[in-house]
Amino acid sequence: MRLGIILWSPIAGEFARVTRRQTMSERNGVGGAWATSSCAGPLSIHIEGFATFLGRQGYALSTVKTKLQLLVALSGWLQRRKMLVTDLDEERLGLFLARHRRRGTRRGDERTGWQLLLCLRGLGCIPTPPETIDDTALGQVERDFARFLYSERGLKPATVENYQRTVRRFLMHRFRREEPRLDELRLHDIHRFILERVRHVRRSYAKLMVTALRSFLRFLHQRGAITVDLAAAVPAVANWRLSHLPLSLTSDQVERLLTCCDRSTLTGQRDFAILLFLSRLGLRAGEVVAMTLDDFDWQAGEFVVHGKGDRAERLPLPRDVGSALVHYLRYARPPCQTRRVFVRIRAPRCGFSGSAAICDVVRRALARAGFDPAFKGAHLLRHSLATNMLRKGASLDEIGQLLRHVQTDTTQIYAKVDIRALRGIAQPWPGGM
């Protein structure tokens, strides 16, 4: 290949066992070990099911024992009040925990209670609570705006949530706890909110905030809630495109970052594989989080990346990345039910909740290697890959292909780091040196 990527071609049968591993509870018999535990009350018949539920999440036997003690106490509390399992919900759990704390609570009791509710709902023993609806005037405005964004703008749920968060902050800033009187909105209200918020956020986030406000004001104008189109007068945030150099590490620094992983530990083996995906293929943090076991075609040496805009693209699997991934899957990935590739080493064993967890992996690696760049997120390795490829002679088209840029203009920023090429087109300073 022109990019010099060597494919990994393992035997597909080697990995069939990864997807057929038994859960921790099935191997160690966690549920059966507690079936005979003494427990009175309506929850007594669920002690084995809850123990199995916890075992599947990777909790140690000692931790399961501690959590089951809370179930026993809760079951007795329900029995004394002549309540059934179906009477248990968030409110009654809160009452029990408040009383339980007076007698001396253990760390994690509240989390155990929520896990028990989740387990019982999964078994169909207690009903799922109805969705909480904010019936205030502010809540109604937010719901109407969300429907507008979904139906007329076609935005994704994450974007709608971000827009709603900005709108709620704006309306709370303008009306405090009073009922929002949208017809009283004026341009100086918007300016005051923007000037106050931009002091505390990055310029890129400030631009998104302004975009959300403009969308909200257009929505209000279309619905007749305001008579003047205030969106047209919302000021832009200065954040010029290509105004900065992409921060990056050199090739030697990237290799040092990788070698500083303690691969004698399970966490180190997982983090090493994650860092290879980031540094060799330039994946985004969210793309690593979303990766599943079903995305890999081991015989072809390829895998599917779920990128921006719900796009799914196939990429080759380099040899060193494939080797590290295989080692992690066979020896370091804990038994769990999720299909996510990268999971928590400690219980509860599940996939990462978001991109921040991948950025934390990079931050810890930078600290171990003794590096202190201004930007420490996962995107640092994506920038480093592109920059080092350019310095080794790759074209911008090749870099854009690997990074999966939809528009070629997105790759142009890396042209600024090619100092040797820029010297050839630089004009002499007027008047000489």
Side-chain angles (χ1 to χ4, degrees):
M1 297 185 61
R2 297 185 66 187
L3 297 180
I5 297 177
I6 303 175
L7 297 184
W8 168 260
S9 302
I11 301 174
E14 290 283 336
F15 308 97
R17 294 191 298 271
V18 173
T19 60
R20 294 199 298 264
R21 281 196 248 183
Q22 291 180 322
T23 63
M24 183 70 76
S25 62
E26 292 169 335
R27 293 199 307 169
N28 294 338
V30 175
W34 294 101
T36 59
S37 295
S38 59
C39 177
L43 294 177
S44 58
I45 61 174
H46 297 294
I47 189 168
E48 180 178 359
F50 188 45
T52 303
F53 173 83
L54 296 171
R56 286 175 176 166
Q57 295 192 32
Y59 287 101
L61 287 174
S62 58
T63 306
V64 173
K65 178 180 179 180
T66 300
K67 288 179 175 290
L68 289 178
Q69 290 173 3
L70 183 76
L71 179 146
V72 173
L74 176 58
S75 185
W77 184 82
L78 293 173
Q79 184 182 42
R80 290 190 294 272
R81 284 156 181 77
K82 298 181 180 180
M83 293 183 184
L84 304 176
V85 176
T86 53
D87 296 324
L88 185 60
D89 56 15
E90 282 78 4
E91 183 179 357
R92 290 184 172 86
L93 175 63
L95 293 174
F96 164 74
L97 291 174
R99 183 178 181 85
H100 194 61
R101 290 189 193 100
R102 301 192 198 109
R103 301 182 177 181
T105 184
R106 286 182 293 270
R107 180 184 177 186
D109 278 353
E110 185 172 356
R111 181 178 182 84
T112 300
W114 292 109
Q115 289 174 322
L116 177 60
L117 290 180
L118 181 63
C119 174
L120 293 175
R121 286 189 174 120
L123 296 173
C125 301
I126 58 177
T128 301
E131 182 181 357
T132 303
I133 299 178
D134 184 358
D135 56 0
T136 64
L138 176 58
Q140 183 62 48
V141 171
E142 288 185 338
R143 287 195 297 276
D144 291 343
F145 181 48
R147 282 194 290 269
F148 165 78
L149 295 175
Y150 282 125
S151 62
E152 300 189 28
R153 296 283 308 280
L155 299 184
K156 297 179 65 174
T159 306
V160 173
E161 184 178 343
N162 287 333
Y163 279 29
Q164 284 184 295
R165 189 180 302 115
T166 296
V167 168
R168 173 171 282 272
R169 286 195 180 117
F170 168 62
L171 294 178
M172 291 293 292
H173 178 271
R174 170 60 180 84
F175 299 105
R176 305 301 176 185
R177 297 190 178 277
E178 300 176 2
E179 182 175 335
R181 297 177 296 279
L182 301 175
D183 58 330
E184 296 181 5
L185 288 176
R186 298 294 181 267
L187 194 57
H188 64 266
D189 298 325
I190 303 164
H191 289 173
R192 189 161 50 239
F193 173 75
I194 293 175
L195 289 174
E196 181 176 321
R197 287 293 299 165
V198 294
R199 300 192 192 106
H200 310 291
V201 298
R202 301 188 308 271
R203 283 184 296 175
S204 57
Y205 182 82
K207 288 192 66 175
L208 295 176
M209 179 184 69
V210 167
T211 301
L213 286 176
R214 285 178 180 153
S215 182
F216 178 62
L217 294 171
R218 291 191 190 100
F219 159 75
L220 294 180
H221 186 245
Q222 290 178 14
R223 295 301 188 274
I226 58 177
T227 57
V228 180
D229 185 10
L230 298 176
V234 175
V237 176
N239 187 25
W240 291 281
R241 188 171 174 271
L242 305 179
S243 61
H244 66 282
L245 285 172
L247 299 177
S248 63
L249 303 175
T250 65
S251 298
D252 292 340
Q253 288 175 323
V254 171
E255 294 308 313
R256 175 172 172 78
L257 194 74
L258 294 170
T259 56
C260 285
C261 288
D262 184 4
R263 298 172 66 185
S264 64
T265 66
L266 300 180
T267 301
Q269 294 167 35
R270 181 201 64 190
D271 291 355
F272 179 71
I274 290 174
L275 291 172
L276 278 175
F277 272 103
L278 296 173
S279 61
R280 299 290 192 258
L281 293 166
L283 297 191
R284 302 176 180 94
E287 294 167 347
V288 176
V289 170
M291 199 179 295
T292 69
L293 297 171
D294 305 305
D295 292 331
F296 289 85
D297 184 345
W298 298 106
Q299 291 181 334
E302 297 177 342
F303 71 106
V304 177
V305 179
H306 301 279
K308 285 186 174 181
D310 292 329
R311 289 184 292 114
E313 300 171 276
R314 297 182 72 88
L315 282 182
L317 192 62
R319 185 182 299 276
D320 56 348
V321 181
S323 297
L325 178 61
V326 169
H327 184 88
Y328 160 71
L329 291 176
R330 298 177 71 180
Y331 304 112
R333 186 178 185 270
C336 54
Q337 292 185 314
T338 180
R339 302 292 293 176
R340 293 275 190 87
V341 172
F342 295 108
V343 299
R344 290 166 48 94
I345 299 298
R346 300 179 60 183
R349 288 170 178 165
C350 55
F352 293 130
S353 59
S355 301
I358 303 298
C359 293
D360 287 340
V361 171
V362 176
R363 290 190 188 98
R364 291 194 298 267
L366 290 169
R368 288 193 301 268
F371 300 144
D372 188 25
F375 178 72
K376 300 180 176 64
H379 235 64
L380 174 66
L381 296 179
R382 183 175 171 88
H383 288 322
S384 301
L385 173 64
T387 301
N388 292 325
M389 285 177 61
L390 187 65
R391 288 170 177 164
K392 292 178 181 178
S395 68
L396 290 179
D397 287 340
E398 291 173 332
I399 295 172
Q401 180 185 1
L402 179 60
L403 299 186
R404 291 160 287 111
H405 288 158
V406 177
Q407 299 177 348
T408 56
D409 292 349
T410 310
T411 319
Q412 287 181 357
I413 191 172
Y414 297 109
K416 299 174 67 174
V417 302
D418 192 355
I419 305 300
R420 182 182 305 172
L422 290 176
R423 284 198 183 103
I425 62 174
Q427 297 296 316
W429 186 261
M433 294 298 293

